Amino acid sequence: MIIEHKIVIADVKLVADFQRYILYWRKRFTEQPITDFCSVIRINSTAPFEEQDNYYLLCDALPEDRILREELQKHKLKEVLDQQQRERNDTSFHGVCMFCSEEFRGNRSVLLNHMAREHAFNIGLPDNIVNCTEFLCTLQKKLDNLQCLYCEKTFRDKNTLKDHMRKKQHRRINPKNREYDRFYVINYLELGKSWEEVQSEDDRELLDLQEDDWSDWQEYPVSAVCLFCEKQEETIDKLYVHMKDTHEFDLLRIKSELGLNFYQQVKLVNFIRRQVHQCKCYSCHVKFKSKADLRTHMEDTKHTSLLPDRKTWDQLEYYFPTYENDTLLCTLSDSESDLTAQEQTENVPIISEDTSRLCALKQSSVLNQLLLQGCLEN
């Protein structure tokens, strides 16, 4: 169109449906002169008239073009949301993990959650993704070509690629690669705006707020995952009930009986996560072929509630989470904050000393007695 007809379409990459866009203007150009719609750009204006050339710019400065682009965007968004809803309800999905070749059937979220939990490979929440099968095929093709998904470098063999992605923490996609934009619903929400622009606008709106208004605050579910199975719950209380009823593992009781502070709870959770990830029973140390076999063994033998000695799991190495963004860790609370109502309301009198006369205070302060008692004990 540029070479043969000297027509330039502005921001063509932002047109949601290019084919419909072209068909619309093709019809309109037969009805009225092109100069009624396009701005005329004259090049070589200093050259003789016969050597001058005119180009025609079609852009959204024209109200008709702007309306057309917005209508195409709305139509595209509706198609994307319909496709997303079909994928959310689809139970015939079949996919293979890109890292361990384990097969998954049912809903796409099962595979995505598996890769996020087991391999720390998180491409986003399933409900934010559309055309998931095509997305996964695109990523698999890159791995088959021995290409890192983040830095996009190519390696000589599969083992070298795996080591690189693990050591460099490149088990994620490149956010600057626009090839992936079509797989995220956020990129269809507003005309001509990518996910980065939408998010930056949201951040600016938060910074521009003069007053903190929490009247419309809505708490979103945490979606914490069970320590022993794939079960997810919207609230941490429901997850505690699930682990207690299904696996006979009462984390709150263990915390109370052992007097665990926040950091000890973190190490215990990370320890259990790692043992389950390795398909190993932390009570009898038997290793199994699959997590399903491990769960069956631990439930039959009641080993879920039989924790090893504290020195086994209370180690520095378990400060580091087994899974990235483990929501359960974010919901743990320190023992000191879990006081009973009686303890919280108990009045403890605090009597301050008179500091108006410092010299007399130094002679009569109770601190002198404490210092003397400490010296005698030493």
Side-chain angles (χ1 to χ4, degrees), residues 135-252:
F135 192 8
L136 294 175
C137 289
T138 301
L139 297 177
Q140 184 63 59
K141 185 177 180 180
K142 289 180 178 290
L143 292 178
D144 292 341
N145 292 331
L146 305 179
Q147 185 178 24
C148 174
L149 298 178
Y150 182 72
C151 67
E152 301 185 342
K153 294 180 180 178
T154 303
F155 294 84
R156 64 177 181 271
D157 56 55
K158 189 168 292 186
N159 290 332
T160 306
L161 172 61
K162 287 183 177 180
D163 290 342
H164 162 80
M165 294 180 67
R166 176 177 56 82
K167 293 178 181 178
K168 297 292 185 179
Q169 296 184 350
H170 281 190
R171 284 190 175 179
R172 47 188 170 145
I173 63 174
N174 183 359
K176 296 182 179 180
N177 189 334
R178 297 303 177 202
E179 180 184 3
Y180 304 131
D181 286 357
R182 69 182 188 273
F183 300 117
Y184 292 93
V185 177
I186 191 174
N187 292 302
Y188 298 92
L189 296 182
E190 294 189 47
L191 176 63
K193 293 181 180 178
S194 65
W195 63 272
E196 293 174 316
E197 294 169 312
V198 173
Q199 285 190 342
S200 63
E201 285 183 356
D202 292 341
D203 293 340
R204 286 197 296 269
E205 289 176 2
L206 291 174
L207 293 174
D208 292 340
L209 291 177
Q210 297 298 323
E211 298 180 0
D212 292 334
D213 183 11
W214 300 90
S215 59
D216 59 345
W217 171 260
Q218 293 182 354
E219 185 174 359
Y220 292 92
V222 295
S223 296
V225 182
C226 174
L227 287 170
F228 304 99
C229 66
E230 305 292 332
K231 179 70 174 177
Q232 298 185 41
E233 291 290 358
E234 294 182 352
T235 65
I236 192 62
D237 293 332
K238 290 182 180 180
L239 183 64
Y240 285 150
V241 172
H242 162 77
M243 290 193 293
K244 182 178 179 181
D245 294 344
T246 305
H247 307 291
E248 298 184 10
F249 182 84
D250 192 343
L251 183 58
L252 295 178

Side-chain angles (χ1 to χ4, degrees), residues 104-131:
F104 293 88
R105 297 180 184 274
N107 190 270
R108 58 183 183 156
S109 61
V110 180
L111 173 57
L112 297 180
N113 290 333
H114 163 81
M115 290 193 295
R117 283 168 35 81
E118 302 294 335
H119 307 289
F121 180 70
N122 189 355
I123 59 176
L125 296 175
D127 287 345
N128 295 339
I129 295 174
V130 67
N131 297 320

